[in-house]
Amino acid sequence: MRRRIVIAFVAFFLIALIVYIQLNVTNVLKSIAEATMRSITTVAVNDAIYYTLSDQVRYEDLVNVARDDEGNIQAISSNSFQINRIARDTAYMSQQNLKKMSEDGIQVPLGAFTGVEAWAGFGPKITLKIIPISNVECRFVSEFEGAGINQTKHSIYLEIVADISIIMPSGTSNFASLTEVLICESVLVGKVPDTYLQADIFGNGYDLVPKGN
């Protein structure tokens, strides 16, 4: 009888411990892992942008402006070759940087394993191995803004969206990170057709959607 009580007590203790870890420790570890990976993602994407745009991309490299004999703007078109090259290189470099920077895992304070958020930053740090799965998407967006009489400022931005899944022993965490960078801008002199003012010359779809780990 006594043996059954001991076994039941041990079983209850183990079940309670598992539930506690699942409800508390797992959430704390996921929060730390996500915060760390967000920081790594920001650095990885910014480094990729710096590397890709190191050649000083000009407005004329991305956009072609057609005018009539009187200098009025007739058409504005994008240079698809340059756009796709920049988007491809930025996405590829971002994923390579993410993979390299996360190879050593993340540092987690021992206090995080108590499941108490107030203690999560205390204690010696241990390395927690993770498996990051990234999907980086790049697209160009443009914005027209009045800059005076018959003058329109055309700004071109590069948006990088990184969808990250972190696989850990304690569970899986997912988040998305958006980075927007001004690539170039120019003041267009002359009347710009309303069809361009109300739309994005690069369209709404992503120019390139590479996937990888």
Side-chain angles (χ1 to χ4, degrees):
M1 182 68 180
R2 185 175 180 180
R3 183 179 179 182
R4 292 181 179 178
I5 294 176
V6 172
I7 294 175
F9 176 79
V10 171
F12 176 80
F13 175 78
L14 291 175
I15 294 174
L17 180 62
I18 293 173
V19 172
Y20 177 81
I21 292 175
Q22 185 65 31
L23 295 179
N24 296 278
V25 178
T26 298
N27 291 334
V28 174
L29 292 179
K30 283 184 177 181
S31 297
I32 294 175
E34 182 176 326
T36 303
M37 282 303 301
R38 282 185 181 276
S39 177
I40 291 175
T41 301
T42 299
V43 174
V45 170
N46 287 337
D47 286 350
I49 294 171
Y50 177 81
Y51 175 83
T52 305
L53 302 179
S54 59
D55 294 335
Q56 294 291 328
V57 177
R58 301 174 303 171
Y59 179 83
E60 294 78 11
D61 297 330
L62 302 178
V63 176
N64 301 313
V65 179
R67 299 176 181 271
D68 59 20
D69 295 336
E70 298 180 355
N72 296 317
I73 297 174
Q74 289 186 315
I76 302 175
S77 59
S78 59
N79 186 333
S80 59
F81 176 80
Q82 285 287 3
I83 289 170
N84 282 291
R85 181 190 65 80
I86 294 173
R88 180 194 65 237
D89 292 349
T90 302
Y92 176 78
M93 287 298 302
S94 296
Q95 292 187 161
Q96 292 300 308
N97 290 343
L98 279 168
K99 182 179 180 180
K100 183 177 180 180
M101 296 175 68
S102 59
E103 284 180 348
D104 296 331
I106 60 175
Q107 299 294 314
V108 179
L110 190 60
F113 291 90
T114 63
V116 181
E117 292 186 3
W119 295 352
F122 295 94
K125 293 184 178 180
I126 63 174
T127 301
L128 182 65
K129 290 294 183 180
I130 61 174
I131 303 176
I133 301 175
S134 61
N135 175 29
V136 180
E137 302 178 347
C138 294
R139 71 172 180 178
F140 280 83
V141 294
S142 64
E143 180 180 282
F144 293 92
E145 180 182 356
I149 299 175
N150 281 338
Q151 292 184 343
T152 304
K153 183 173 70 172
H154 186 199
S155 303
I156 299 176
Y157 299 87
L158 176 62
E159 288 187 353
I160 304 97
V161 180
D163 290 318
I164 309 295
S165 296
I166 311 171
I167 301 176
M168 304 177 294
S170 57
T172 302
S173 180
N174 304 286
F175 70 91
S177 174
L178 171 64
T179 302
E180 184 179 77
V181 180
L182 175 64
I183 302 299
C184 56
E185 61 183 9
S186 178
V187 176
L188 304 176
V189 179
K191 182 175 177 57
V192 178
D194 292 338
T195 53
Y196 294 104
L197 296 176
Q198 304 299 326
D200 187 342
I201 66 170
F202 300 108
N204 295 321
Y206 282 95
D207 296 302
L208 190 67
V209 187
K211 298 183 179 179
N213 295 340

